[in-house]
Amino acid sequence: MTRATLLALLAGAALAGCARDGLSLVDTPPETRWRAVTTDQDRNRLRDWRKAWTTALPAARTADNGVIAREGALFEPDRAMANAMPPAGEYRCRTFKLGAYRPGLQTFAERAPVRCRVGRDGEMPVFAVSEGEQRPSGTLYAETDARVIFLGALELGDETKPFPYSLDRKRDMAGYVERVAVGRWRLVLPYPNFDSQLDVIELVPAG
């Protein structure tokens, strides 16, 4: 038996083993469509996510270290578990605002829980907050198993329908979703256009 034949047999056996174990023979490619639609402003936000954490989190700790410590994994910048895409369904969302958008504003604020939802628009998962004065909504792109990209816009006050992404740069929002514990996710929004340097929205299943 030649070496080439032996290698071919070994490769075939490995593929057969994958099939037996129910494993995909082709890696699922990462979701990249968000790169084609995102604005320059939001590319910068997503690129500078760690910078947003390192400036906003110390300011928030100074304002209310008790809440930061109490929430544990929610405020650990590098906390990211597998299965980052939250399943479709109803959620309860709490928004935390860290750092100040400009001098004179609060450096930490916690909003009351509101209703929010993960659903689908055609083939794409979508996220929307349905209560409160500031209501993000947009599309979720499963970039990796541990990170989901969010591109959306902000609905305000008594408005009754969400803005489409990239229509108004002041309303545009970009961030990422991570799973930080069993049944607990967060949407991190670096450098939003209102109030803070970093918004962290906790998602837990409703009920």
Side-chain angles (χ1 to χ4, degrees):
M1 181 183 294
T2 66
R3 184 171 182 273
T5 302
L6 178 60
L7 290 174
L9 290 173
L10 290 173
L15 291 174
C18 287
R20 273 199 313 273
D21 295 337
L23 300 177
S24 173
L25 301 183
V26 179
D27 290 337
T28 301
E31 173 59 79
T32 58
R33 278 174 288 186
W34 67 271
R35 297 180 186 277
V37 299
T38 188
T39 63
D40 289 341
Q41 169 186 259
D42 289 339
R43 285 192 191 94
N44 292 336
R45 285 170 167 164
L46 292 166
R47 183 196 63 213
D48 294 338
W49 68 270
R50 184 175 293 280
K51 181 180 176 183
W53 273 109
T54 58
T55 55
L57 189 56
R61 280 201 177 106
T62 299
D64 199 330
N65 189 53
V67 174
I68 300 297
R70 180 193 75 201
E71 297 299 334
L74 190 66
F75 296 122
E76 295 176 11
D78 293 314
R79 181 77 167 190
M81 303 172 68
N83 301 317
M85 180 68 75
E90 302 296 325
Y91 288 80
R92 187 177 73 252
C93 286
R94 284 189 302 162
T95 297
F96 298 85
K97 293 182 172 289
L98 283 64
Y101 179 73
R102 64 174 184 272
L105 296 178
Q106 288 180 288
T107 55
F108 180 77
E110 176 183 354
R111 302 288 189 244
V114 295
R115 291 183 298 122
C116 56
R117 186 173 189 278
V118 174
R120 295 194 76 81
D121 182 5
E123 65 171 325
M124 295 302 298
V126 293
F127 167 77
V129 174
S130 53
E131 296 179 317
E133 288 298 308
Q134 296 183 9
R135 301 180 297 280
S137 65
T139 304
L140 301 174
Y141 301 84
E143 185 184 41
T144 70
D145 190 45
R147 175 168 287 196
V148 172
I149 299 297
F150 169 82
L151 296 178
L154 191 64
E155 183 182 338
L156 295 171
D158 59 359
E159 294 171 352
T160 57
K161 65 190 237 181
F163 271 63
Y165 177 70
S166 78
L167 180 66
D168 182 344
R169 67 185 304 273
K170 291 185 178 180
R171 297 291 190 98
D172 285 347
M173 307 186 87
Y176 58 90
V177 176
E178 295 172 321
R179 188 166 72 96
V180 297
V182 175
R184 193 185 196 196
W185 290 261
R186 68 180 175 198
L187 169 57
V188 180
L189 298 163
Y191 302 112
N193 287 319
F194 297 89
D195 304 327
S196 59
Q197 292 174 314
L198 183 78
D199 282 0
V200 178
I201 303 178
E202 177 198 52
L203 289 78
V204 295

Coordinates of all heavy atoms in Angstrom, one line a residue, residues 65-112:
N65 N -20.3 51.5 42.9 CA -19.5 50.2 42.8 C -20.4 49.1 43.3 O -20.2 47.9 42.9 CB -18.3 50.3 43.6 CG -17.4 49.1 43.4 OD1 -17.1 48.8 42.3 ND2 -17.0 48.5 44.5
G66 N -21.3 49.3 44.2 CA -22.2 48.3 44.8 C -23.0 47.6 43.7 O -23.0 46.3 43.7
V67 N -23.6 48.3 42.8 CA -24.4 47.7 41.7 C -23.5 47.0 40.8 O -23.8 45.9 40.3 CB -25.2 48.8 41.0 CG1 -25.9 48.1 39.8 CG2 -26.2 49.4 41.9
I68 N -22.3 47.6 40.4 CA -21.4 46.9 39.5 C -21.0 45.6 40.1 O -21.0 44.5 39.4 CB -20.2 47.8 39.2 CG1 -20.6 49.1 38.6 CG2 -19.1 47.1 38.4 CD1 -21.2 49.0 37.3
A69 N -20.6 45.5 41.4 CA -20.2 44.3 42.0 C -21.4 43.3 42.1 O -21.2 42.1 41.8 CB -19.6 44.5 43.4
R70 N -22.5 43.8 42.4 CA -23.7 42.9 42.5 C -24.1 42.2 41.2 O -24.4 41.0 41.2 CB -24.9 43.7 42.9 CG -26.2 43.0 43.1 CD -27.4 43.9 43.2 NE -27.8 44.5 41.9 CZ -28.4 45.6 41.8 NH1 -28.8 46.3 42.8 NH2 -28.7 46.0 40.5
E71 N -23.9 42.8 40.1 CA -24.3 42.2 38.8 C -23.2 41.3 38.2 O -23.5 40.6 37.2 CB -24.6 43.4 37.8 CG -25.8 44.2 38.2 CD -27.1 43.5 38.3 OE1 -27.2 42.4 37.7 OE2 -27.9 43.9 39.1
G72 N -22.1 41.2 38.8 CA -21.1 40.2 38.5 C -20.7 40.2 37.0 O -20.2 41.1 36.4
A73 N -21.0 39.0 36.4 CA -20.6 38.7 35.0 C -21.1 39.8 34.0 O -20.5 39.9 32.9 CB -21.0 37.3 34.6
L74 N -22.2 40.4 34.3 CA -22.8 41.4 33.4 C -21.8 42.5 33.0 O -21.8 43.0 31.9 CB -24.0 42.0 34.0 CG -24.9 42.9 33.0 CD1 -25.5 42.0 31.9 CD2 -26.0 43.6 33.8
F75 N -20.9 42.8 33.9 CA -20.0 43.9 33.7 C -18.5 43.4 33.6 O -17.6 44.2 33.9 CB -20.1 45.0 34.8 CG -21.4 45.6 34.8 CD1 -22.3 45.6 36.0 CD2 -21.9 46.3 33.7 CE1 -23.5 46.2 36.0 CE2 -23.2 46.9 33.7 CZ -23.9 46.9 34.8
E76 N -18.3 42.2 33.2 CA -17.0 41.7 32.9 C -16.8 41.8 31.4 O -17.4 41.0 30.7 CB -16.9 40.2 33.4 CG -17.0 40.1 34.9 CD -17.0 38.6 35.3 OE1 -16.6 37.7 34.5 OE2 -17.3 38.3 36.5
P77 N -15.9 42.7 31.0 CA -15.8 42.9 29.5 C -15.5 41.7 28.7 O -16.0 41.6 27.5 CB -14.7 43.9 29.4 CG -14.7 44.6 30.7 CD -15.1 43.6 31.8
D78 N -14.7 40.7 29.2 CA -14.3 39.6 28.4 C -15.1 38.3 28.7 O -14.8 37.3 28.3 CB -12.8 39.3 28.7 CG -11.9 40.4 28.2 OD1 -12.1 40.8 27.0 OD2 -11.0 40.8 28.9
R79 N -16.2 38.5 29.4 CA -17.1 37.4 29.6 C -17.9 37.1 28.4 O -18.7 37.9 27.9 CB -18.1 37.7 30.8 CG -19.1 36.6 31.1 CD -18.4 35.6 32.0 NE -19.3 34.7 32.6 CZ -19.0 33.8 33.6 NH1 -17.8 33.8 34.0 NH2 -19.9 33.0 34.1
A80 N -17.7 35.9 27.8 CA -18.5 35.5 26.6 C -18.5 34.0 26.5 O -17.5 33.3 26.4 CB -17.8 36.1 25.4
M81 N -19.7 33.4 26.6 CA -19.9 32.0 26.5 C -20.4 31.6 25.2 O -20.9 32.4 24.4 CB -20.9 31.6 27.6 CG -20.5 32.0 29.0 SD -21.7 31.7 30.3 CE -21.8 29.9 30.3
A82 N -20.4 30.3 24.9 CA -21.0 29.8 23.6 C -22.5 30.0 23.6 O -23.1 30.3 24.6 CB -20.6 28.3 23.5
N83 N -23.0 29.9 22.4 CA -24.5 30.1 22.2 C -24.9 31.5 22.5 O -25.8 31.8 23.3 CB -25.3 29.1 23.0 CG -25.0 27.6 22.7 OD1 -24.9 27.3 21.5 ND2 -24.8 26.8 23.7
A84 N -24.2 32.4 21.9 CA -24.5 33.8 22.1 C -25.8 34.3 21.6 O -26.4 35.3 22.1 CB -23.4 34.7 21.5
M85 N -26.4 33.6 20.6 CA -27.6 34.1 20.0 C -28.8 33.7 21.0 O -29.0 32.5 21.2 CB -27.9 33.4 18.6 CG -29.2 33.8 18.0 SD -29.3 35.6 17.5 CE -28.2 35.5 16.0
P86 N -29.5 34.7 21.5 CA -30.6 34.4 22.4 C -31.7 33.7 21.6 O -32.0 34.2 20.5 CB -31.0 35.7 23.0 CG -30.4 36.7 22.1 CD -29.3 36.1 21.4
P87 N -32.4 32.7 22.1 CA -33.5 32.1 21.4 C -34.7 33.0 21.2 O -34.8 34.0 22.0 CB -33.9 30.9 22.3 CG -32.8 30.7 23.3 CD -32.1 32.0 23.4
A88 N -35.4 32.8 20.2 CA -36.6 33.7 20.0 C -37.6 33.6 21.1 O -37.7 32.5 21.7 CB -37.3 33.2 18.7
G89 N -38.1 34.7 21.5 CA -39.1 34.7 22.6 C -39.2 36.0 23.3 O -38.5 37.0 22.9
E90 N -39.9 36.1 24.4 CA -40.1 37.3 25.2 C -39.0 37.4 26.3 O -38.7 36.4 26.9 CB -41.5 37.3 25.8 CG -42.6 37.2 24.8 CD -42.7 38.4 23.8 OE1 -42.4 39.5 24.3 OE2 -43.0 38.2 22.7
Y91 N -38.5 38.6 26.5 CA -37.5 38.8 27.5 C -37.8 40.0 28.4 O -38.7 40.8 28.1 CB -36.1 39.1 26.8 CG -35.5 37.8 26.2 CD1 -36.0 37.4 24.9 CD2 -34.5 37.1 26.8 CE1 -35.5 36.2 24.3 CE2 -34.0 36.0 26.2 CZ -34.5 35.5 25.0 OH -33.9 34.4 24.4
R92 N -37.1 40.1 29.5 CA -37.1 41.2 30.3 C -35.7 41.9 30.2 O -34.7 41.2 30.4 CB -37.4 40.9 31.8 CG -37.6 42.1 32.7 CD -37.9 41.7 34.1 NE -36.8 41.2 34.8 CZ -36.6 39.9 35.1 NH1 -37.5 39.0 34.8 NH2 -35.5 39.5 35.8
C93 N -35.7 43.2 29.9 CA -34.5 43.9 29.6 C -34.3 45.0 30.7 O -35.2 45.8 31.0 CB -34.5 44.5 28.2 SG -34.3 43.3 26.9
R94 N -33.1 45.1 31.2 CA -32.6 46.2 32.0 C -31.5 46.9 31.4 O -30.5 46.3 31.0 CB -32.2 45.7 33.4 CG -33.3 45.3 34.4 CD -32.7 45.1 35.8 NE -31.7 44.0 35.7 CZ -30.8 43.9 36.7 NH1 -30.8 44.7 37.8 NH2 -29.9 42.9 36.7
T95 N -31.6 48.2 31.3 CA -30.5 49.0 30.7 C -29.7 49.7 31.7 O -30.2 50.3 32.7 CB -31.1 50.1 29.7 OG1 -31.8 49.4 28.7 CG2 -30.0 51.0 29.1
F96 N -28.4 49.6 31.6 CA -27.4 50.2 32.5 C -26.6 51.2 31.6 O -26.1 50.8 30.6 CB -26.5 49.2 33.2 CG -27.2 48.2 34.1 CD1 -27.7 47.1 33.5 CD2 -27.3 48.5 35.4 CE1 -28.4 46.2 34.3 CE2 -27.9 47.6 36.2 CZ -28.5 46.4 35.7
K97 N -26.4 52.4 32.1 CA -25.7 53.4 31.3 C -24.4 53.7 32.1 O -24.5 54.2 33.2 CB -26.5 54.7 31.1 CG -27.7 54.4 30.2 CD -28.5 55.6 29.9 CE -29.6 55.4 28.8 NZ -28.9 55.2 27.5
L98 N -23.3 53.5 31.5 CA -22.0 53.6 32.1 C -21.2 54.8 31.4 O -21.2 54.9 30.2 CB -21.2 52.3 31.9 CG -21.5 51.2 32.9 CD1 -22.9 50.6 32.6 CD2 -20.5 50.0 32.6
G99 N -20.6 55.6 32.3 CA -19.8 56.7 31.8 C -20.8 57.8 31.3 O -22.0 57.6 31.3
A100 N -20.2 59.0 31.0 CA -21.0 60.1 30.6 C -20.7 60.5 29.2 O -19.6 60.6 28.8 CB -20.8 61.3 31.5
Y101 N -21.8 60.8 28.4 CA -21.6 61.2 27.0 C -20.9 62.6 26.9 O -20.2 62.8 26.0 CB -23.0 61.3 26.4 CG -23.1 61.7 24.9 CD1 -22.6 60.9 23.9 CD2 -23.6 63.0 24.6 CE1 -22.6 61.3 22.6 CE2 -23.6 63.4 23.2 CZ -23.1 62.5 22.3 OH -23.2 62.9 20.9
R102 N -21.2 63.4 27.9 CA -20.5 64.7 28.0 C -20.4 65.1 29.5 O -21.2 64.6 30.3 CB -21.3 65.8 27.2 CG -22.7 66.1 27.6 CD -23.3 67.2 26.8 NE -24.6 67.6 27.4 CZ -25.7 67.1 27.0 NH1 -25.7 66.1 26.1 NH2 -26.9 67.5 27.5
P103 N -19.6 66.0 29.8 CA -19.4 66.5 31.2 C -20.8 67.0 31.8 O -21.6 67.6 31.1 CB -18.4 67.6 31.1 CG -17.6 67.3 29.9 CD -18.6 66.7 28.9
G104 N -21.0 66.7 33.0 CA -22.2 67.1 33.7 C -23.3 66.1 33.7 O -24.3 66.2 34.5
L105 N -23.2 65.0 32.9 CA -24.2 64.0 33.0 C -23.8 62.9 34.0 O -22.7 62.8 34.4 CB -24.3 63.3 31.6 CG -24.9 64.2 30.5 CD1 -24.9 63.5 29.1 CD2 -26.2 64.8 30.8
Q106 N -24.8 62.1 34.4 CA -24.5 61.0 35.3 C -23.5 60.0 34.7 O -23.5 59.8 33.5 CB -25.8 60.2 35.6 CG -26.8 60.9 36.5 CD -28.0 60.0 36.7 OE1 -28.8 59.8 35.8 NE2 -28.1 59.5 37.9
T107 N -22.7 59.4 35.5 CA -21.7 58.4 35.1 C -22.2 57.0 35.3 O -21.5 56.0 34.9 CB -20.3 58.6 35.7 OG1 -20.5 58.6 37.1 CG2 -19.7 59.9 35.3
F108 N -23.4 56.9 35.9 CA -24.0 55.5 36.0 C -25.5 55.7 36.3 O -25.9 56.5 37.0 CB -23.4 54.7 37.2 CG -24.0 53.4 37.3 CD1 -23.7 52.3 36.5 CD2 -25.0 53.1 38.3 CE1 -24.3 51.1 36.6 CE2 -25.6 51.9 38.4 CZ -25.2 50.9 37.5
A109 N -26.3 54.9 35.6 CA -27.7 54.9 35.7 C -28.2 53.5 35.4 O -27.7 52.8 34.5 CB -28.4 55.9 34.8
E110 N -29.2 53.1 36.2 CA -29.9 51.8 36.0 C -31.4 52.1 35.7 O -32.0 52.8 36.4 CB -29.8 50.9 37.2 CG -30.5 49.6 37.1 CD -30.5 48.7 38.3 OE1 -29.7 49.1 39.3 OE2 -31.1 47.7 38.4
R111 N -31.9 51.6 34.6 CA -33.3 51.8 34.2 C -34.1 50.6 34.7 O -33.6 49.5 34.8 CB -33.4 51.9 32.7 CG -32.6 53.0 32.1 CD -33.2 54.4 32.4 NE -32.6 55.5 31.7 CZ -31.9 56.4 32.3 NH1 -31.7 56.5 33.6 NH2 -31.3 57.4 31.6
A112 N -35.4 50.8 34.9 CA -36.3 49.7 35.4 C -36.4 48.7 34.3 O -36.3 49.0 33.1 CB -37.6 50.3 35.7

